[in-house]
Amino acid sequence: MRSSADRIKGDLETLGEIGKTEAGGVSRFIFTDEDFEARRFITGLMQSVGLRTVSDKVGNIIGRRPGRNEDLPPVMTGSHIDTVPNAGIFDGCVGVVGAIEAMRVLNANGVTSNRPIEVVVFNNEEGVRFEPLAGSKAMACQASVDSILNSRDRDGALFREAFERGGQRIDGLPSPCRRGRVRAFVELHIEQGPILEKKGLDIGIVGAIFGIRQFLTSFRGVAGHAGGTPMSMRKDAVLAAAKTVVAVDEITKRYGPPAVGTVGSVRVYPGVVNVIGEQSEVSVDVRDSDGSRLRSRSGEVKRRIKAIARATSTEFEIVDRLEIDPTAMSRRISRVIEVCAKRVGARYTHLDSGPYHDTMMMAKITKCGMIFVPSRDGASHSRKEFTEWRQIAKGVDVLSETLVALSK
Ligand code: GLV
Ligand code: MN
Ligand code: MN
């Protein structure tokens, strides 16, 4: 038996109803009512295919399919179900719903694997609330449980309290750190770019994931009257933010592809028409396939921010948020994926990922691979996101075969 596009569609659309916005997308940030409802839905699905489910101390959900040899480290697969604001229903969710469908396929085919197989829902991949990649960071032992539980969102809410609001006590839950206890990790995900669609292919086998630097810059100026304050006397935090937006664009374009640089968030205070900006906060997100180019560009942006502060007579502060070097997938696992793609008749290519993934964290403790399915018009982080159901099913078939091969 192969995977069912209809079942995948049903599960993804049901999940996609949870947190649906009036604008036609979905907003599901961790530890909101919508997130807790989505967790219940996915936990129920996992149990319905026979997985034994547990949440760890930082809110990762793990569903385990026993193997013949329960002492061996499991093969893992999965992704995330949190979203950016007004997102599509595919980013992350394809890798979770797809992994559960893969378990149905294994069950229907009477597969008993030697190693256990675990399906994981990583907590807070997107990081709209709290730190991005929190769940996979903790699973890869790259962040302590306490640092995550004691982190706060922008409104000052404590991670630990927000988590327990869902009705679970953290104390009795297992530790997330799994060093030495994961045989391999494979993530199925939408491409979030145009390559597979352009080439008319079913599958992308990821070779590497771009490195990333994210930081938040805040400028402090002096509020003043828009009519009374001469231009020469201003300390304008909004002007500093605007110059930063332009600098990120200009510096990134000078480096050229595949470098990308984004300011996705600018917040200003007091934010009214006739007051000179007193404070501003600008997010910076820069990515590149080449680690040394990324480091030098990130350094250049930071030096430019310092110069902008001087030129606008503002004070500035930079707080680093995410710093991951380019991450290569395991050649051995990519070869296994390739063999499995051939076996299921999927037309494939090898490509790199510009978006980051939980896989980057898992690669710190185990061998990893990623399977991409096409994104229509390359759209993602947008409600326009779409992947043909049969293409997801193809990806699930490749995933199922890969899990069977790796868990022998
Ligand atoms: C995660 O979705 C990213 O920003 O790459
Ligand atoms: Mn995303
Ligand atoms: Mn994702």
Side-chain angles (χ1 to χ4, degrees):
M1 185 192 110
R2 293 286 184 203
S3 66
S4 152
D6 284 345
R7 265 198 311 257
I8 293 167
K9 177 174 190 276
D11 289 345
L12 274 173
E13 285 184 344
T14 306
L15 180 57
E17 284 298 313
I18 307 173
K20 191 146 206 175
T21 64
E22 279 179 10
V26 49
S27 292
R28 218 165 37 231
F29 316 136
I30 69 162
F31 305 147
T32 56
D33 291 346
E34 298 78 39
D35 178 54
F36 288 124
E37 188 182 339
R39 285 165 187 272
R40 282 192 296 275
F41 172 65
I42 290 297
T43 304
L45 271 191
M46 284 179 167
Q47 290 167 353
S48 75
V49 302
L51 305 185
R52 207 169 62 229
T53 59
V54 67
S55 164
D56 69 19
K57 273 192 159 49
V58 298
N60 295 314
I61 304 168
I62 300 134
R64 184 174 170 103
R65 185 177 194 271
R68 260 192 306 277
N69 193 337
E70 277 292 277
D71 296 332
L72 289 176
V75 172
M76 271 189 147
T77 183
S79 194
H80 61 96
I81 59 170
D82 65 315
T83 73
V84 295
N86 207 28
I89 66 169
F90 298 87
D91 180 358
C93 302
V94 159
V96 171
V97 163
I100 294 170
E101 176 66 10
M103 298 302 102
R104 289 193 193 105
V105 171
L106 266 53
N107 293 348
N109 291 328
V111 173
T112 310
S113 55
N114 192 32
R115 294 173 178 279
I117 298 175
E118 290 184 342
V119 176
V120 57
V121 179
F122 292 109
N123 199 12
N124 210 31
E125 193 262 2
E126 302 287 6
V128 174
R129 258 194 111 183
F130 305 103
E131 308 258 311
L133 296 167
S136 51
K137 254 188 193 168
M139 190 167 284
C141 324
Q142 304 295 306
S144 72
V145 170
D146 278 346
S147 71
I148 290 173
L149 294 184
N150 293 328
S151 64
R152 289 181 187 274
D153 72 4
R154 274 182 167 185
D155 302 321
L158 195 61
F159 188 109
R160 168 193 300 278
E161 286 171 9
F163 185 6
E164 289 193 334
R165 210 180 58 82
Q168 208 150 19
R169 297 275 312 138
I170 291 167
D171 283 348
L173 302 178
S175 155
C177 170
R178 293 286 294 267
R179 187 181 282 117
R181 292 189 293 133
V182 182
R183 169 68 173 179
F185 177 75
V186 183
E187 181 170 0
L188 171 70
H189 204 283
I190 55 168
E191 181 198 338
Q192 309 181 283
I195 295 171
L196 294 175
E197 182 183 59
K198 272 208 179 117
K199 292 188 170 170
L201 299 172
D202 303 311
I203 295 295
I205 303 171
V206 176
I209 306 174
F210 282 23
I212 181 167
R213 298 285 184 276
Q214 285 184 343
F215 48 86
L216 294 177
T217 305
S218 42
F219 294 100
R220 179 173 283 277
V222 175
H225 198 289
T229 316
M231 296 309 279
S232 62
M233 286 177 62
R234 296 179 179 215
K235 298 180 175 181
D236 185 341
V238 173
L239 179 62
K243 284 177 182 280
T244 302
V245 177
V246 174
V248 169
D249 182 67
E250 184 259 299
I251 293 169
T252 302
K253 283 178 178 155
R254 177 151 45 73
Y255 274 72
V260 284
T262 307
V263 172
S265 166
V266 177
R267 305 212 300 181
V268 300
Y269 179 84
V272 292
V273 176
N274 57 353
V275 181
I276 296 162
E278 182 175 0
Q279 287 174 47
S280 63
E281 187 195 76
V282 188
S283 67
V284 177
D285 176 313
V286 289
R287 312 188 191 202
D288 199 304
S289 59
D290 182 292
S292 73
R293 269 167 49 106
L294 178 64
R295 275 189 294 278
S296 80
R297 183 159 52 100
S298 169
E300 190 172 336
V301 171
K302 286 181 175 176
R303 284 193 299 281
R304 185 74 76 81
I305 287 168
K306 190 172 174 184
I308 288 169
R310 210 178 312 119
T312 53
S313 303
T314 55
E315 287 167 22
F316 77 104
E317 188 188 12
I318 295 175
V319 178
D320 290 318
R321 182 176 134 101
L322 200 57
E323 197 165 299
I324 319 176
D325 286 332
T327 303
M329 300 297 95
S330 150
R331 292 237 193 106
R332 191 177 77 78
I333 293 189
S334 293
R335 268 198 301 273
V336 172
I337 295 173
E338 189 167 354
V339 168
C340 296
K342 284 182 182 150
R343 193 174 298 151
V344 307
R347 291 171 311 149
Y348 64 89
T349 189
H350 297 270
L351 44 62
D352 287 345
S353 172
Y356 70 67
H357 299 286
D358 292 302
T359 296
M360 294 180 99
M361 286 295 135
M362 294 304 282
K364 299 197 180 282
I365 57 163
T366 190
K367 290 189 183 348
C368 292
M370 282 197 82
I371 302 165
F372 276 177
V373 289
S375 293
R376 189 170 69 194
D377 299 328
S380 187
H381 283 189
S382 142
R383 66 181 187 282
K384 297 219 163 69
E385 210 170 61
F386 185 72
T387 302
E388 293 288 350
W389 308 108
R390 57 174 175 77
Q391 288 180 315
I392 301 176
K394 244 321 181 249
V396 172
D397 289 336
V398 178
L399 176 67
S400 315
E401 292 279 344
T402 301
L403 293 173
V404 170
L406 293 175
S407 61
K408 279 226 167 85

